Every structure is written in structure tokens, then in C-alpha cells.
Amino acid sequence: MHAPDWLFQTVVFYSPFRAAHPSAPFKVMVQSYLRHGPTEAFGLVCSPSSNSHYDGRLAYVPGLEDVLVWDVKKGQQIAMWHETGHRAEVTCITRSPQRDTFAVGYADGSIRLWSAAAGSVIATFNGHKKSVTALSFDKAGARLASGSQDTDIILWDVVAEAGIFRLRGHRDQITAIQFLEAVSSSAPSTSTGTTPGFLVTGAKDTFLKLWDLSTQHCVQTVVAHRAEIWSLDVDPKEELILTGSGEGDMRAWKLDHGAMESGLVETESGEVVKFIHPITNLPLSSRHRVSQILFHPTHPYLAVQSHDRSVEIFRIRTEEEIRKKQARRKKRAKEKQELAKSKDAIQRDGEVEPDHEQEVGLADLFTPYLVARASGKVRSFDFGDEELKGKGAVQLFMALSTNALEVYSIPAPSKSKEETPEAARILSVDLPGHRADVRTLCLSSDDMLLASASNGSIKIWNMRSFTCIRTIECTNPICSTFLPGDRQVAVGTKSGEILIYDVASSALVETISAHSATVWSLHIRDDEQALVSGSADKDVKFWDIEQKATENDNPNSPRMLTLTHVRTLKMTDDVLSVRYSPNGKLLAVALLDSTVKVFYQDTLKFFLSLYGHKLPVLSMDISGDSKLIVTCSADKNVKIWGLDFGDCHRSIFAHDESVMQVAFEKTDRRDFDAKPSHYFWTVGKDKMVKYWDGDKFENIQKLDGHHGEIWALAVSHHGKFVVTGSHDKSIRIWEKLDEPLFVEEERERDLEQLYEAGIADTLNREDAPIGSGADGAAAGTAAAEATGVSKQTTETLMAGERIIEAIDLAEDEVNAFREYEEAKLAGGLSAQIAPPPRNPVLAAYDKEPEEYVLMVVERVSSTALYDALLVLPFGKVVSLMKFLNHWAEREWNLILTSRIIFFLLKTHHHQIVANRVMRTALIPLRKHLRDALRKQKDTLSYNLAALQYIKRQSDAQRTAEFFEDFDEEAMKEKIAESKKRKRVSIKA
């Protein structure tokens, strides 16, 4: 069944005029369309927007707005972590010590905690205004520190799913964060209390800062480099900090743990003790930006990326190796001195090294080991947790900016000096995606195959499984089309050739030197007998599609299609696009002079000239009934023309950037009664896909999903979907759904989103970064170094509104029943009145008013709760206090009740103190909450004592079993036997 395009709503107006003239009722026609939605994104191995993580088997890499999990050994995608409706790009990934949890930062400033096993979001943190650029967990995985482009650092409580505090002090983007665990020597070994510890951060403002998390203040700021700090890492023993700059410097800093334990103390000279001390600069093989520094967690290796295509590996020597090297150096110095004395040469100014042992220098500690060179630009790298079996080698994983993954083997150090260690590539994942932008797309006639081309390769995709089934080498493809029969693909190149590839054999079967400059466009006539090509050499060439035998000697060999040049049409300017009309009568040619010329295709006689675009027409298409032609241009406009007289029906400002491709939606050939569609698609450099009505000249739907300029567009031959290819190297499918779409509703929804986003931005604007030029923040304003964590989003605004609605509803219900009870007590006729009907919502949920408010509050996510409570006006806070009192009395969800009470008291302290009305609410609340918490405390103490008793019993039992199983006589016999063993020398 073909879905109806028109819905009719009948509206009847009653008036004296209508009564006097009883004619047919008015009909208001409301056109509905079918909605399109994103159904699949493929062709992406990893995007260059974020770092990656590798555990020795699985790689967790960014895939634009998703996180992709690859089994690198098998080359298979295991999972895709996708949240419906979330479009922001992944900018940072880190793994928690609780191995199943990952923290992922996004470009919109949000952080999501993902469960690797379930592939679902555990919690969402919203606190940053701009993209998250650095993340780090503490050793227990209970706290998460995040840094952002908005210059703020936020500490999050992972267990409570809430922000603890915000640290402000940096003046540019945070690039690196690391936790430091300060172990106090005075603390007993059995102490279970965790110290808040320290946080070390690096930023583009060249500062290295040390933050004391117990006082929530910066205790030391170091100007670490002359240029931006791009990377930072702390060694596993937490003794050294290494920082890398934009100028290629790598510096080492020593951490003074003694000073960190004692805190900020003045010395005898009156100076404050420093916690971080500079040591030295470490030389690198290149002077490029130090993008990443990483210590191996267990092996003595340090990896540094300061060049686009390689990672430098340093080996960390043991103390014994350093002592041996120092002894050799001392010996060589003595030999040189003796040789100089024997020849009566002039002795050197320096003294001979003394016999006592030297201190271990940092240059002796880190020795260059090898350089691992990748096949493309390296975006990030990581060490694998697992060793290669039986070899002692370490795995080094690299995520490349060219949409590929590689794993290298770092061999274990050998004793022989002759063998130079080399990194060997052992695994790679590159076939499921292009190395460069997707420039052209074409679909087979049955929509089962998709050919995509980029500089270097053409890939054939199965449109059912979305897997790459063929990869063929190809240089600089510009346009492409399937030849009739769908067995071959014709590709126009930058060099002017038309290449014909056989899909089955993945082979280039013919190279046709068609033009002397770039072939910009290819199009096959609807009767599948001819092909036309347009080029930058100002020629339009016509080709007949003919069959030829693959083997000339054998007439029974399989037949292949070839192109035979039949005629040429010379134009006055470069040809950018050519199109046959579906009825085969006309040929449209778009030129570099911004005009479109229309010719009769049989005689090549000139018919029409379409002019009006201010910049060249990049693409065009003709409707199925050959009545309309739509053109798109670099001037951001789309024009719809009539093909009968060449008049411009409408000019539409379609995109914010150049419009790259346009195509009419095709009607399903299987529906014989379907009329040719005048709906068309456009894609542009503004990353948007848009769906238009060519008769009403209005935008039906905007689809955003790509994160780069969209170069290519292919429309399904059955009208079911559209495929787009982009600079972000992804290929996306937008499928027609069964859900109806009304243009007016779409516009209203867009306006609502803009309005809500505007309100949220206004509420967030007061938190402008220190020293930023944002509105409301002067250049030198001194702001608090530590503040609360809050950020209003549309989600928190809606949650606040839901709480307000629930409070209003519950109050109305309580008041109605109180009035009824009062009237009943008054007696008389009032006592015989029936009780008021329950609110339908409360009746549906079968809950009391207080219970209903609690249910609504519980449904607000833990991370958004505080921000939602900030939306409440003070009048509603007073009302909520009454419900909190009821919850505390009944002991309902005491944890949530306590959180809300303490937050509201802290936020509205001044109003509460100044308002006598609150006294009546707070006194019973204090009593009920204390009683409830005391009960909870007693229960916890009882349970803790019981667990400690069970532990003591278990330990005693294990000790008793050990001594019962111990056989002293048998042990003595074993010792005696071991003494009887003799050394036996075996001679050859």
C-alpha cells in the first residue's frame, strides 16, 4: 500500500450566514509527509576527535558521537555505545580502575559513565560549558576529575553521581589531569579512611598547577614551558612528572612527598616549601608538539609522541644497570687520564670522578630504545595490558587520524649489542573504512550494493549487512556510477580518465582516456544505452554502452560492458555537472560561469539557458516527470526551474555553506500508480541534510548527524532511503519511517528547542571563565577558586517544571481534603457532603499526594537533581519542606530526603533565616529526620559489628585448619631428602 500524501481535516463553522446557505463544509487541507530518521552509520573505524583505550584485546575508540569497541585481532566491531538523540562528538575516553566502567567526555561538555558489559549509560554528568578535554579517575575509581575548554576543573563523586566542587584558576584549555595519592606517614597502617589527595593539571596557558583537594585550593603554580602544555603523565611510583609542550620540549619534575604530607609550611628564610621541583629537560628525536606522554603501568617503558607518524619508546633502566654504566664510564675516564699522563699531555680542567657512588641522573634513567613508525598520522596511542604470549614483548596500540587502527610489538631488551630492537606491526584494522573523505557515492539499481570512493580506494558495501565486501585501489576519484547490470562501476578521475571496475573480481578492466582535465560528472540515460561525461576541459562527451567479450579469441567468454565515444559537445566554460532528463529528450549542462544550458539530446540543439546563480552550479537533478530541474550552487542557494519555459519557480536560501549535492527523491518502481515525486534532497558544507517539497517550496525536515562537510549524496531507486558521505569519513543512511510528519509541528519543535536552549544559556552565563572575554566577566575579575557544580540544561529545566507541577497537584489535593474534613467537623449539612473526587493522576497511580511528589522527585536523575531544585522558586521550596517533613516521618528514601534538605538549606540559607514561616516547618523536620537517621545509624552499626564478628570467626577457622593440616614429620623428611642431593657433571 502506498502511504497517503494528503490528510483532510473537516472544520464546520456555524453562523447565521452558514445557516442561510447550507452548502458543503469547509475543507482545510493539511499536508503530511513521512519522517526520515538515521538508521545506520558505517565506514568508520575511529575518528580523530578523541584519545583511545586498548586492553590488549579490545580497542575502545571514538566513532564521532559513539564509542566503538573493536576486537583488533579479528578485525570485527564488537559493540557500539550509542545514546539515542545525542549528537555531540566524543572528545575524551578513560577507563576506571573498576574495569567495567568507562568515562567518556563529549563536545557539549557532558560526561557519560558507560558500562562496558551492558553497553549502556550508568550516569550522566553535566557541568562544563564547552568540550571535555581531560579525564582521570583516582585509584579507587570513586572520584573522577574532568577538565574542559572552558578552563574549569570539576571533581565528581562517581558513587553519589554528583559534582563535588569546581576548581577555577587556569586561563586556557585544560589538556591533562592526574590524581596524586598523598600517603601520610602519621596515619596508622590499618587506617581505612581515604585522604582527599592532590590533583596535578596542565593547560594551554603554560601553567602546571598542583591542587590540594582537602582545602580545594591551588597550592603551587609552575610556569612549566614557554609554549602550551599539551601532555602530562606521572610515573607509577608517583615520584616524577613529565610534561610536554607545543614547541617539542619534554621536562621532568620531582614530587616532594614529604612537603605534600606536611602541607604549606614556611622555611627559615620565610619562603613557602615547594612541592614540585624542576629536574631537567629530556631530549627527543623531533621538535614537534609533544602530543602524548605515557608510562607503561607495569613494564619499564615510557612512550612519547612528538611526531605525526611515530611514537618514541624510552626504556627505564634499573638501578643495577645504571651503576654498571657509571662504573664503565669511571673506568674509561681513568684510562684516558693515564694515557694522557704517559704522553705528558695537558690534563683536563675537570677532576677525576671520586670513588663514591654517584646519584642516579635522569638522563641515565631514561634511554632511547626504539621508534615505532605508523602508516599514517597518529592521533593517540596506548599500551596493551597483556603481554604477547611467550615473547615478553609489549603491545603498543595506535589510533590513526586516517580512520585506521594498528598494533605494534615492542620486543623485550636483548643482551646482544648487534641486534637493534625494532617495532613490528602485528595487527591492523583498516578495511572497514576509507583513509580520506568520501567524495562520491552510487547505488546499484536494486539498492543492494553501494559504491563509495575516496582518494586511494573504492569500496563496495552490502546494504543489508553494511559490511565492506570489496576494496579496490583508485587514485583521485571524483564521480561514479554503476553501469547497467550492476556488475561494473564507472569512475571519473581527476586526471580525466574514466575507469571501469569489475565488482566481482575487484579488478580494473578498462581505462578510457576520456578527457584532458578533471571529469566532474557522469550520468547514464534512463534507457541505459548511453552515458554522458562532463569535464573541466570544457567538453561534454557522449558514450554508447556496448558489450564486448573478455577474451577476443573465445566467443563464449563472459561479456563485459565498455564505453564507445560517439560525439562531443564543445562548451565555452568548464563543465561541472551533466544530466539527462528521465524522458530522454533533454540534456542539462552546468558551467563554471554559473549558468545551466539545456539542449535537445538527440540533435544537441540549444533549448534553454538558466541563469541567476551568483556562483557556479555544483550539482543538479531533473524530476521523474521531466517538468522540474533543481540546481544547487556554491552561493548557498537552491533554485527550482520549470523545464518548459526555463522560468525560475523559486530561489531558496537552503544552507549556511555551499550546497554540494541535490537529488530528487525517486518513486518506487514497484508502485505502478505512483506519481513522480517533486520532493528533493540537498547536502552542504554546513554538515546538514535537508528534505524539501519542490511544489510548495518549503523545507520538510532537517537532519543533522555528520560532523564534517557532506560531499556525496545517493538516493534509493525505490525511494526508501538516502545515503550521504562526508569529510568525517562516515557513510550514513537516512531511512523513511512510517511516522507522519507535519511541517508546522516541526517548526514549533525547533522554536521550542531554541527557546529552552536560550533560557539554559542565560542561566549558565554567570559562570564565565576567569580572564575570558565572555559577557558578564571582566578581563581581570577575581572569582572564587572553588565553587559549586551546576549547569542548567533543557533536561534540568523540564525536571524542575515537573517537580513544580507535582507540588501544585499534591497541594491542591491536600487542601481539598482538609477543607472537606473541616466542613465535616463543623457539622450541620456540611457533614453530609460527599468527599471530593480524587485527582485522576493520583487515582491512576493509586498514591497519596506526598507519595506522588516523592515518585516524581525520584524519577529525576541523580546528576540533574540539584540543578532541577535550583529552578524552584522560594514559594515552592517552602511547600517542598512540608513534604520532606512527611517523608522523614515515614522514613521514605532517607538518602534522597537528606540530600534535598541539606542542598535546599545551603542554597536558600538567607531567605530561610529571614523568614519566620519556615520555623514551623523546620522544627518538626529536624525532630523527624534526627529520629530516622538515628535508627539508620543503629542498624548500620549493628550490621557492621555482625560482619566484623563473622570475619573474626572466619580468620580463626582458617588458622586452625592450617595448623591441623601441618604434618611436622613429613616436612622433616622432605628437608632431609633435599640435603642428600648431589651435583652430577655430565660430559659429552
Side-chain angles (χ1 to χ4, degrees), residues 918-948:
M918 294 297 294
R919 186 175 176 81
T920 54
L922 287 173
I923 290 172
L925 176 59
R926 180 178 65 178
K927 178 183 179 298
H928 294 142
L929 189 63
R930 275 185 177 174
D931 292 345
L933 290 175
R934 194 175 286 113
K935 284 182 186 176
Q936 292 274 332
K937 185 183 174 186
D938 293 345
T939 307
L940 285 170
S941 302
Y942 183 82
N943 290 341
L944 188 63
L947 288 169
Q948 286 170 347

Side-chain angles (χ1 to χ4, degrees), residues 116 119 213 242 327 410 500 533 886 941 986-987:
L213 298 180
L242 295 183
I410 308 298
I500 299 178
S533 62
H886 191 88
S941 302
I986 301 169
K987 292 181 181 179

Side-chain angles (χ1 to χ4, degrees), residues 300 315-323 360 364-365:
R315 193 167 65 83
I316 305 170
R317 290 195 178 108
T318 60
E319 199 167 333
E320 186 183 347
E321 287 175 326
I322 293 169
R323 298 293 177 210
V360 176
D364 296 330
L365 192 63

